[in-house]
Amino acid sequence: MVTASRVQLTVLRGRDDECRAVRSLLDGMTSAGGALLLRGEPGSGRTELIGYAHRHAEGCTVLAGSGLAEEAALPYAGLQRLVDPVLDRVATLPTEQRQLLRRALAGEGCPSDRQLTLSMAVLGLLAAAARDRPMLATMDDIDRGDPQTAQVLAFVARRLRHLPLAVLLTADVTANLDGIPAHRLRALTEHESTGVLTDRLRRLTEREAVDRLPERPAASALAAVATIGGGNPQALVDLAEVLSAGQWRGEESLPAAPPADGALARAYRARLDRLPPETRRVLLLAALDEDGEPGTLIRAAAAAGAEVEALAPAEVAGLVRVEQRGVTFPQPLVRTMIAASAPLAERRAAHRLLAEVLVTDGQRLRRAMHLAAATAGADPALAAELEQAAVGGSDGWSAASVALRWAAELSDHPKLAAARLLTAARYAWAGGQPDAARLLLDRLRAVCADPVVRGAADLLRGELELRCGTASNASVMLLASAATVSSTHRALALSGLVRAGEAVCFAGDQYRYAEVGRRALALRRANDPPALELMGCLISGVAATLRGDHERAGPALRRAVVLGGRLTGSALTPTALSCAATAGLLVAVDGAAHRLAERAVELARERGELSMLPRALELRAVAEYWLGRHEAAAETSRDGLRVARATGQVNYANVHLGMLAVLAAIRADRDTSLRRIREIGESPTPGSRPHALAAWALAVLDLVDGRHAEAADRLASLARLGTGRGQVLVQVMATPYLVEAAAHLAHRPAATAALAAFDRWASSTASPLRRALSARCHALLAPRGGAEAERDFRAALRLHPTEAGTFERARTELLFGQELRRSRRPRDARAHLHQAREMFSLLGVECWAEQATTELRAAGESIGPPDLPAARLLTGQQLRIAELVAEGATNREIAARMFLSTRTVDHHLRNVFHRLGIRSRTELARAFTAERHVGLASDR
């Protein structure tokens, strides 16, 4: 028996829910007892949670026990150890219960027809012991001990409602005790896993010599060890105990699994030792055969003199599931630990056995990998076989990366090993594994001094930084590494410059693109193949676009689009197609840009190149935005967000979140837009593309709500024209909104400058949509009620394409209708407002449709049943003024928003008060609030 001491602070990462459940269990003992079952795989932290409960059981008597496999055949052995400290209370029990309990604990057993009496005796004993002070009884690993103890404690745990007694039990994930609240311990997230590792490293550093371990491990090493640990806390602790300083720094190979002599491996070995030898042999084969094809395991088992049916005891133990389609492991770490727990000789023999049964051409890579795992020392021939079998990633980029890593280790020449490590990193990144790629690059840096190889590695590292890290750092790294490889690998250098250009645009440092353009020009040749010419044309065209030289930009970018459509063979890649799609968007050939981006997406999916998908999906979403397919663009961005998050591309996840925020704001879906902006968080650097997209979305919401000055300020801040700083391209896309906001203001220099830039771009393209938007913007900035505004609006309507851009055409119709109504031409206005209302309704954009309806009412049109009963008493203009007053707007604000004089607003407001029979603004607000509630109630 233990009397709980004062609470000690111990961090249990990833177990907040379970800790809350334990505290709730303990806190509830003052009024009623309770029980809790914690289920988890070995090493998941069950025992730590028992300790947590002991530390927090202040003022309680604690009984602690654990199930022991050695005593599993001894009935009530676990119960005897648990209740031994309180057996002095047995005298308080009825005679029959007392005698039966003593016999059971003495090893004499209990007849099946007396189980209820025995269980009641244990309940009575614990209740008697808890009379003086509340009691916590814990049994760790209840499923490992004798089943009789588990049965009795489960009975007790279900009957604690009126007792100052809590029972906390832990068991494996396969255990289930009906009627007891249970928590299953989940795997830790990557963030929680790295927290466990850094905590452990800090303790190790304090315990051992400071110079043996680094204070700050490499991020790539942390992420890779977290992956190896599989979210299992004990696995992470065991790994941390054995890693060297070089491994923490990412300079040496990491172990493939937790150590064989660690606590977790011992726990699994204990489970495996209870299985028959034949079961263990087949189970090891199943664990090493990661592809899980039934035929392979059947043949390998037969070669070992066994059958797959031998797995039945392992299936009963919850280690595997044997199904028609093959053998699966319910917990991913189980496979790893089965292999890690086996002796090295048995493991190598099993790998050789599997290699012998993999004989077809389609199994070449798997066979070579099993042979590599069974090989000690260098083997140049096998390394070459691995390299050749992995080319192209036909068996999956992850497997190809592992194969090249093996090939590097089996190489007998440092240069070959370095080249293979670099290829392994490329394959890992292609498969969407940035942390694995970084770790391989860290190892390469530690073993390779060749400047060209290191330069090529830094190009890949720069791309990883662009997608997953800090874009401004990426551009510096990519420019430097492109210069390093330019003399020996011109194609590689050009691709690095494309990425450098992408990085400076992403970060909002467009002024640095001029340097990218100068370097690319030096690398171009007259007879370049299509893929190289495409990259050169793109860089040249973007550089010219950013300096406002559209005459030079147009031909280069159109040439890139043409080349993108002609790519074949090895030149046809998602990267090349994305370059061509980017060029298409810059010269406003939206249909061609969409086709190229769509082909890039399809090709990336076909080849499993997950690293390129988020960028290709971004380009497709932008093309769909310009084509007026807003719903399609939102779905594309949701797809891009999922892939970016799955592949650790935080920068492009934020781009897709920003695009989703803009699309939601355009539909006036405030909640969704703000939620997406909150998901972006504080991580994007001011001036970066995600930051600009979020600002654009907020500005559109401001515009919808009539906050024109705020909207204009936000949009003007997206870029500082003439300096090359900020998101110039995003501001160009948002210019129509900036002009619309500025049209309500007296001072508009930022909008005028932005429109001038937009005009130069639009006039250099053949896009009717861009020219229509330009005309609309000029109409908005023209003097109100003049011939110039009407001329520009009519020009915009003529230019709007009929097959695309329906939303923008509807916006032009609405804005033109507003202009005509405010120019005292309500009859002319109604035709355009009807068009706008119909198009918005067909598009499902209710907010804009309602705005068109409001304008129609203000123009004297009676449109459908009014939303409020009071509306039947008011004209359209009176109703709008009354709504604004109810929202808290002043007369001056209403006048500004409706383009009326304050005297006119005063006049209308007096008529509103008279018709509604009220005498104050407060009464008006109260009346509208009450009528809205009535309207909602009647709708229900």
Side-chain angles (χ1 to χ4, degrees):
M1 180 166 63
V2 178
T3 300
S5 61
R6 294 185 62 81
V7 175
Q8 302 170 28
L9 295 178
T10 300
V11 176
L12 293 178
R13 295 193 181 266
R15 297 291 176 249
D16 291 347
D17 291 343
E18 289 74 19
C19 288
R20 277 193 292 271
V22 168
R23 290 197 302 273
S24 177
L25 177 71
L26 297 172
D27 293 343
M29 279 197 293
T30 55
S31 56
L36 180 64
L37 171 64
L38 300 174
R39 298 189 300 125
E41 60 183 278
S44 57
R46 297 173 305 187
T47 302
E48 288 295 324
L49 284 163
I50 291 282
Y52 178 88
H54 290 172
R55 292 192 298 273
H56 283 74
E58 291 189 80
C60 296
T61 299
V62 177
L63 295 181
S66 60
L68 300 177
E70 293 82 357
E71 296 182 358
L74 303 176
Y76 306 109
L79 182 64
Q80 187 275 328
R81 284 184 287 105
L82 179 70
V83 303
D84 183 66
V86 294
L87 279 179
D88 58 325
R89 305 296 182 97
V90 76
T92 61
L93 299 177
T95 302
E96 183 182 7
Q97 291 184 7
R98 183 171 65 249
Q99 292 174 349
L100 187 61
L101 178 60
R102 280 178 169 163
R103 284 198 297 270
L105 297 182
E108 297 178 22
C110 177
S112 57
D113 60 348
R114 307 295 301 281
Q115 288 290 331
L116 178 60
T117 305
L118 176 62
S119 298
M120 289 299 297
V122 174
L123 179 61
L125 176 64
L126 295 178
R131 282 185 193 134
D132 298 336
R133 59 191 303 180
M135 174 176 285
L136 170 66
T138 65
M139 179 64 75
D140 197 11
D141 295 330
I142 191 171
D143 55 321
R144 292 189 64 200
D146 62 277
Q148 293 82 4
T149 292
Q151 184 179 3
V152 170
L153 289 179
F155 177 94
V156 169
R158 300 184 194 106
R159 290 163 174 80
L160 301 174
R161 186 174 302 170
H162 304 296
L163 297 173
L165 176 61
V167 173
L168 179 60
L169 309 171
T170 74
D172 190 69
V173 288
T174 57
N176 190 30
L177 300 176
D178 293 335
I180 302 175
H183 272 252
R184 173 162 181 178
L185 307 189
R186 61 170 176 81
L188 302 185
T189 64
E190 181 180 344
H191 177 72
E192 292 161 351
S193 295
T194 55
V196 170
L197 290 168
T198 51
D199 289 346
R200 199 66 184 177
L201 179 59
R202 193 179 303 114
R203 293 180 190 175
L204 290 170
T205 305
E206 292 169 357
R207 189 179 74 194
E208 301 186 17
V210 176
D211 57 351
R212 194 184 82 80
L213 297 173
E215 289 185 12
R216 298 187 64 181
S220 58
L222 272 179
V225 177
T227 300
I228 295 167
N232 185 289
Q234 188 61 57
L236 296 166
V237 169
D238 290 349
L239 283 162
E241 294 282 347
V242 299
L243 294 183
S244 67
Q247 288 172 322
W248 280 115
R249 288 192 291 266
E251 299 168 354
E252 300 172 7
S253 298
L254 291 172
D261 58 348
L264 186 62
R266 290 196 297 272
Y268 271 101
R269 210 157 28 241
R271 296 179 71 183
L272 295 171
D273 287 345
R274 296 197 288 271
L275 299 174
E278 186 179 356
T279 300
R280 292 201 300 273
R281 284 199 301 274
V282 180
L283 190 60
L284 178 59
L285 290 169
L288 297 177
D289 180 31
E290 295 189 10
D291 291 285
E293 292 183 7
T296 302
L297 182 60
I298 291 170
R299 292 194 301 274
E307 296 179 341
V308 173
E309 287 74 11
L311 288 173
E315 192 170 16
V316 171
L319 293 170
V320 292
R321 279 197 294 265
V322 182
E323 301 167 336
Q324 190 75 23
R325 63 179 183 272
V327 176
T328 58
F329 291 81
Q331 293 90 43
L333 195 62
V334 172
R335 179 195 293 274
T336 303
M337 296 313 303
I338 288 170
S341 302
L344 178 61
E346 289 183 18
R347 218 166 41 241
R348 286 180 173 171
H351 277 298
R352 282 192 290 269
L353 206 57
L354 286 164
E356 288 172 9
V357 301
L358 295 169
V359 293
T360 66
D361 290 340
Q363 299 169 328
R364 180 185 178 188
L365 181 61
R366 291 166 57 201
R367 181 177 186 277
M369 290 175 70
H370 282 298
L371 288 174
T375 301
D379 190 330
L382 182 54
E385 170 67 8
L386 281 163
E387 186 174 29
Q388 292 165 15
V391 168
S394 58
D395 287 83
W397 295 108
S398 177
S401 176
V402 173
L404 264 294
R405 191 193 72 208
W406 277 113
E409 293 181 3
L410 294 170
S411 301
D412 60 350
H413 195 286
K415 201 168 228 180
L416 268 177
R420 286 163 177 166
L421 276 176
L422 178 56
T423 306
R426 286 177 178 150
Y427 286 171
W429 172 229
Q433 297 178 305
D435 292 326
R438 281 197 191 98
L439 187 65
L440 289 162
L441 292 173
D442 288 344
R443 283 181 54 196
L444 178 61
R445 179 185 286 169
V447 301
C448 176
D450 186 326
V452 175
V453 175
R454 294 187 71 157
D458 284 341
L459 280 175
L460 180 55
R461 195 185 298 276
E463 183 176 347
L464 288 165
E465 193 69 15
L466 165 62
R467 307 280 191 228
C468 316
T470 305
S472 56
N473 294 344
S475 61
V476 174
M477 191 181 302
L478 286 162
L479 284 168
S481 50
T484 303
V485 302
S486 59
S487 60
T488 53
H489 297 286
R490 196 163 56 88
L492 193 59
L494 264 175
S495 70
L497 290 174
V498 169
R499 291 283 180 266
E502 186 183 337
V504 299
C505 289
F506 185 96
D509 300 329
Q510 280 91 338
Y511 68 94
R512 298 175 61 189
Y513 206 101
E515 177 64 20
V516 177
R518 283 193 295 272
R519 295 193 187 192
L521 183 62
L523 290 174
R524 297 181 69 180
R525 303 289 182 270
N527 59 346
D528 274 341
L532 266 66
E533 185 184 356
L534 192 162
M535 290 189 287
C537 286
L538 174 66
I539 294 173
S540 172
V542 173
T545 298
L546 291 174
R547 65 175 182 265
D549 187 355
H550 298 292
E551 289 185 6
R552 290 178 182 272
L557 293 169
R558 291 187 187 95
R559 176 63 178 164
V561 174
V562 171
L563 289 168
R566 296 177 180 174
L567 295 170
T568 58
S570 60
L572 182 63
T573 64
T575 298
L577 288 166
S578 294
C579 288
T582 302
L585 289 171
L586 288 172
V587 286
V589 285
D590 303 323
H594 186 266
R595 287 189 295 274
L596 289 163
E598 177 66 20
R599 184 68 184 109
V601 170
E602 291 172 356
L603 198 60
R605 290 194 196 281
E606 287 172 16
R607 298 182 179 180
E609 292 186 27
L610 300 181
S611 59
M612 272 307 300
L613 258 180
R615 172 63 172 162
L617 287 165
E618 179 204 1
L619 296 169
R620 190 175 81 179
V622 173
E624 287 163 345
Y625 168 83
W626 282 117
L627 291 167
R629 305 174 193 169
H630 291 181
E631 282 297 324
E635 182 54 41
T636 294
S637 283
R638 283 190 287 269
D639 191 9
L641 176 61
R642 286 191 292 270
V643 178
R645 283 176 167 168
T647 56
Q649 297 188 51
V650 62
N651 288 339
Y652 280 81
N654 285 337
V655 166
H656 285 290
L657 285 169
M659 196 68 191
L660 287 167
V662 169
L663 292 165
I666 287 171
R667 297 179 64 86
D669 184 351
R670 169 177 292 278
D671 291 343
T672 299
S673 185
L674 293 178
R675 175 168 58 84
R676 293 304 191 182
I677 291 170
R678 284 194 297 271
E679 286 183 66
I680 294 174
E682 301 294 328
S683 56
T685 305
S688 66
R689 193 178 306 152
H691 190 269
L693 290 169
W696 180 10
L698 290 170
V700 174
L701 293 177
D702 286 335
L703 189 60
V704 169
D705 292 341
R707 295 190 295 273
H708 303 110
E710 292 88 340
D713 287 344
R714 287 188 197 278
L715 293 170
S717 70
L718 295 182
R720 296 186 289 282
L721 295 176
T723 68
R725 296 180 185 274
Q727 288 297 320
V728 176
L729 300 179
V730 175
Q731 190 180 64
V732 167
M733 290 180 71
T735 292
Y737 292 93
L738 170 57
V739 170
E740 186 177 342
H744 294 264
L745 308 175
H747 192 58
R748 341 167 153 159
T752 304
L755 179 55
F758 187 90
D759 284 344
R760 288 193 295 273
W761 173 56
S763 62
S764 73
T765 73
S767 167
L769 174 61
R770 306 312 193 277
R771 296 184 180 210
L773 292 174
S774 174
R776 186 177 86 194
C777 289
H778 281 282
L780 287 168
L781 294 182
R784 298 272 62 81
E788 183 184 348
E790 182 173 352
R791 184 189 68 239
D792 287 335
F793 269 124
R794 294 196 184 280
L797 289 174
R798 284 195 306 273
L799 286 166
H800 272 298
T802 55
E803 75 282 359
T806 305
F807 176 81
E808 293 298 347
R809 183 182 184 87
R811 295 270 295 128
T812 301
E813 295 276 14
L814 173 61
L815 291 166
F816 190 21
Q818 288 175 340
E819 163 67 15
L820 291 169
R821 183 188 67 76
R822 290 162 185 168
S823 301
R824 301 183 185 277
R825 297 168 59 185
R827 182 180 298 176
D828 294 336
R830 288 197 286 267
H832 295 288
L833 294 172
H834 272 296
Q835 284 285 336
R837 181 173 183 265
E838 181 180 343
M839 284 189 279
F840 284 137
S841 297
L842 289 172
L843 290 170
V845 191
E846 293 303 323
C847 172
W848 297 111
E850 288 171 10
Q851 190 172 130
T853 301
T854 300
E855 288 290 336
L856 276 165
R857 290 194 185 120
E861 187 93 0
S862 179
I863 303 292
D867 296 328
L868 299 174
R872 285 193 285 270
L873 304 173
L874 306 176
T875 67
Q877 201 160 45
Q878 288 170 346
L879 176 62
R880 181 60 179 150
I881 289 172
E883 287 173 338
L884 291 171
V885 170
E887 291 172 6
T890 66
N891 285 9
R892 186 180 296 277
E893 290 169 340
I894 295 168
R897 290 172 69 168
M898 297 188 67
F899 289 93
L900 301 170
S901 68
T902 54
R903 183 176 299 176
T904 303
V905 173
D906 290 337
H907 171 75
H908 283 307
L909 194 54
R910 283 195 296 271
N911 288 334
V912 168
F913 286 176
H914 175 72
R915 292 189 179 195
L916 297 183
I918 58 179
R919 289 182 290 184
S920 71
R921 302 171 83 94
T922 303
E923 287 183 39
L924 178 60
R926 191 180 301 122
F928 268 64
T929 302
E931 288 186 357
R932 284 193 180 95
H933 286 310
V934 170
L936 290 172
S938 64
D939 288 344
R940 295 193 190 100

